Amino acid sequence: MKCPKCGFDNPEDTLFCKKCDWRVDIPYVPERKTNASMYCAIALALGVIASALYFMKWYVFAAAVGAIGMVVGGYAINVPRLLNSDNKAVLVTIAGVGLILSMVGFMLGLYMAVL
Ligand SMILES: [Zn+2]
């Protein structure tokens, strides 16, 4: 598996490049850097909104926003892994918090809406 980012020749079963940590099955797109922070910010915002809606007792909306937040958060948490940026850990943390808040909003919202 030749790394699409740095060209390093990795063993066949490698998922992340031994040299630059790039996922070798994903094409290298340099301009993803800006998208990463954007998606992480959206994931966090959706998580906060989903939780807020739950506490405002708008359970159906909390579940809906939480569902979207989980999709965006699940994507956002993986995007920074594709980067070699210094704030990788910060972005993953932000996306992770957003993902957790979305899951909480979704599950609690759905639970309360169904009951
Ligand atoms: Zn590489």
Side-chain angles (χ1 to χ4, degrees):
M1 290 295 283
K2 201 165 190 158
C3 174
K5 187 182 177 187
C6 69
F8 185 78
D9 221 344
N10 292 288
E12 267 319 304
D13 55 346
T14 312
L15 187 57
F16 292 95
C17 175
K18 294 265 183 286
K19 196 177 171 191
C20 70
D21 206 30
W22 180 263
R23 258 190 86 142
V24 293
D25 59 345
I26 292 175
Y28 176 59
V29 185
E31 59 267 27
R32 270 192 178 176
K33 189 166 189 165
T34 39
N35 288 356
S37 9
M38 190 188 76
Y39 277 113
C40 291
I42 293 172
L44 182 65
L46 287 171
V48 171
I49 293 168
S51 306
L53 287 171
Y54 172 76
F55 284 111
M56 287 158 75
K57 300 193 192 303
W58 292 358
Y59 302 125
V60 180
F61 295 104
V65 175
I68 301 166
M70 287 195 302
V71 174
V72 177
Y75 178 72
I77 208 164
N78 279 308
V79 174
R81 291 204 64 164
L82 311 178
L83 304 168
N84 264 336
S85 63
D86 302 328
N87 55 0
K88 190 193 273 188
V90 179
L91 290 178
V92 171
T93 307
I94 292 171
V97 170
L99 188 59
I100 291 164
L101 287 175
S102 294
M103 286 169 73
V104 169
F106 174 73
M107 287 189 294
L108 291 179
L110 195 65
Y111 182 74
M112 295 304 283
V114 166
L115 281 183

